[in-house]
């Protein structure tokens, strides 16, 4: 659907077209006309669906009338993490370029005073993480009685992070007459309860569920030996077959693997950078910006470190490990093929990982084809230039090479996020869920065997 059919103002339409958006995504087409009629919207959509513009655009149209008053913001957007909040601010800069609005970003980890000064001068839009917003409120720097529109974004992640009590408190501080737009990728019972409590006759807009993958993504499986060194070689061979990589994310299940892969790929001349849980926020943002600017071609990342980051236009996703939780597969490959663009997603699979693969295929309800049953035979192996001597085929490698012991769970349950304020402990019954999503279970030690599914080494890995 074209944006001009949605009822947006000319100023908004001009910015949309300047941003290069031609057709509205499903969540935009479904939500924007209702939002413009001041109805509450319940959007079931995930990152990558274009949901940010689904609330930013009607908000911009609405803000064209009226003015901000000191300490009384007119609209409020709640985000679970600082990074998401910063990304929404960027969207305002792009899509609101014709609007001359004052946007205040209230996130933790930076000083209060400049934020407070901005609210003092009058903010049209406040984009905040729940904790920092309440801190400003409690210090008396902010009045919530002027809020006309509230957006709660990524509600299920708010739940994961223990923010629901803060959200409930904030909702009670806002005028009853406000409009609410509420977005969540999933609808667990606690989120359902919140929507029943705080939305008034919402229009429900549902886009593709997490269990489905975009049609624009070509998915492929690649056989690989379990042995860590050979597995890295398989990855390199795979990367070399893909001549049209604009930029790619290589996902690994553990942060130790992420660090090792970055080192290994760089040694072999790939332009790679890493994003993992041991990096502090500024290092992560620096890496992410380098990736966005195409200074880094391959971003090696773990699920936790990458969650929620908006990295537009990724051409390829490579899963170095099959994700242990099937849902993570959908998240990972959802980094490509966004907003109708073409994308390629390759998943390397060892014999031991086929059980996880089955779960993924069950979730997405389709079989993923094999990439030429391994890699094309014409690809010649390259010499492994790492410290340990290159393995000889099969038996020698099996005898001499110790299995890679990077099998600790990632244990980085805290990406660049806000801490829940009062509710340090997530509500009962969720800590397990959270742990199981963020922390892969311990895997058994790698068997000292280089077998493929059929027990044979593919030709391209055989050394002469
Ligand atoms: P989001 O789901 O809001 O994080 O958006 C995902 C990406 O899609 C962002 O990089 C947006 O800039 C982009 N995007 C959003 N809407 C559109 C659209 N209608 N056409 C093209 N790209 C879009």
């Amino acid at each position: 659907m074209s944006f001009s059919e949605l009822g947006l103002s000319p100023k908004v339409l001009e910015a949309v077209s300047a941003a290069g958006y031609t057709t509205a995504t499903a969540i935009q087409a479904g939500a924007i006309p209702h939002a413009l009629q001041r109805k509450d919207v319940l959007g079931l959509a995930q990152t990558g669906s274009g949901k940010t513009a689904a609330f930013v655009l009607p908000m911009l149209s609405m803000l064209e009338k009226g003015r901000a008053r000191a300490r009384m913001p007119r609209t409020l957007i709640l985000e679970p993490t600082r990074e998401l909040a910063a990304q929404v601010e960027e969207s305002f800069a792009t899509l609101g370029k014709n609007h001359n609005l004052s946007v205040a970003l209230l996130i933790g980890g930076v000083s209060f005073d400049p934020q407070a000064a901005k609210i003092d001068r009058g903010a049209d839009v406040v984009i905040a993480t729940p904790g920092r917003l309440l801190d400003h409120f409690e210090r008396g720097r902010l009045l919530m009685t002027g809020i006309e529109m509230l957006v709660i974004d990524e509600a299920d992640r708010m739940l994961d992070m223990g923010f629901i009590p803060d959200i409930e408190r904030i909702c009670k501080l806002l005028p009853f007459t406000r409009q609410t737009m509420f977005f969540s990728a999933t609808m667990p019972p606690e989120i359902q309860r919140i929507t029943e409590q705080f939305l008034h006759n919402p229009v429900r807009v549902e886009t593709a569920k997490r269990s489905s993958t975009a049609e624009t993504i070509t998915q492929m499986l690649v056989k690989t030996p379990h042995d860590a060194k050979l597995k890295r070689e398989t990855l390199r061979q795979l990367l070399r077959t893909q001549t049209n990589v604009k930029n790619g994310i290589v996902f690994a299940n553990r942060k130790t693997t992420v660090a090792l892969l970055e080192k290994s790929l760089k040694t072999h001349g790939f332009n790679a950078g890493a994003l993992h849980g041991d990096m502090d926020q500024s290092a992560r943002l620096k890496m992410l910006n380098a990736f966005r600017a195409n200074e880094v071609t391959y971003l090696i990342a773990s699920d936790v470190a990458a969650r929620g980051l908006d990295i537009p236009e990724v051409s390829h996703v490579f899963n170095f490990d099959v994700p242990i939780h099937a849902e993570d597969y959908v998240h990972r490959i959802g980094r490509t093929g966004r907003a109708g663009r073409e994308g390629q997603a390759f998943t390397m699979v060892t014999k031991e990982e086929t059980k996880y693969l089955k779960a993924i295929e069950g979730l997405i309800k389709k079989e993923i084809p094999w990439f030429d049953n391994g890699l094309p035979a014409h690809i010649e192996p390259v010499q492994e230039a790492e410290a340990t001597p290159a393995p000889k085929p099969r038996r020698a490698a099996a005898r001499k090479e110790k299995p890679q012991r990077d099998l600790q769970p990632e244990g980085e349950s805290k990406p660049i996020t806000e801490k829940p304020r009062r509710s340090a402990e997530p509500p009962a019954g969720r800590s397990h869920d959270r742990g199981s999503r963020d922390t892969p279970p311990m895997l058994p030690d790698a068997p000292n065997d280089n077998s493929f599914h059929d027990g044979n080494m593919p030709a391209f890995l055989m050394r002469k």
Side-chain angles (χ1 to χ4, degrees), residues 71 106-117 119-120 131-144 169 173 421-422:
R71 292 198 201 173
L106 308 186
I107 54 175
V110 283
S111 65
F112 267 91
D113 292 342
Q115 298 178 351
I119 309 168
D120 279 347
R132 182 52 75 103
L133 181 84
L134 283 170
D135 284 340
H136 277 280
F137 177 77
E138 278 161 10
R139 291 177 183 207
R141 307 302 301 258
L142 174 73
L143 290 167
M144 304 234 220
R169 193 165 160 227
L173 294 169
R421 301 168 77 248
R422 280 148 293 276

Side-chain angles (χ1 to χ4, degrees), residues 191-262:
I191 295 295
Q192 181 71 35
R193 179 182 67 75
I194 295 285
T195 61
E196 282 159 16
Q197 195 179 352
F198 296 112
L199 299 184
H200 304 294
N201 299 322
V203 179
R204 191 179 164 110
V205 184
E206 199 162 340
T207 61
K209 289 205 184 74
R210 269 217 169 134
S211 59
S212 60
T213 48
E215 292 302 321
T216 48
I217 306 172
T218 307
Q219 302 173 57
M220 287 282 181
L221 302 175
V222 181
K223 281 182 185 176
T224 177
H226 186 106
D227 175 87
K229 205 164 179 180
L230 293 176
K231 206 173 174 188
R232 291 200 294 277
E233 185 159 325
T234 309
L235 174 68
R236 293 196 297 274
Q237 297 283 3
L238 173 63
L239 297 186
R240 290 193 179 100
T241 63
Q242 297 302 300
T243 48
N244 57 345
V245 177
K246 180 175 167 279
N247 52 3
I249 306 183
V250 181
F251 280 102
N253 286 356
R254 303 166 190 86
K255 63 184 172 188
T256 40
T257 317
V258 170
L260 209 92
L261 268 182
E262 182 202 18

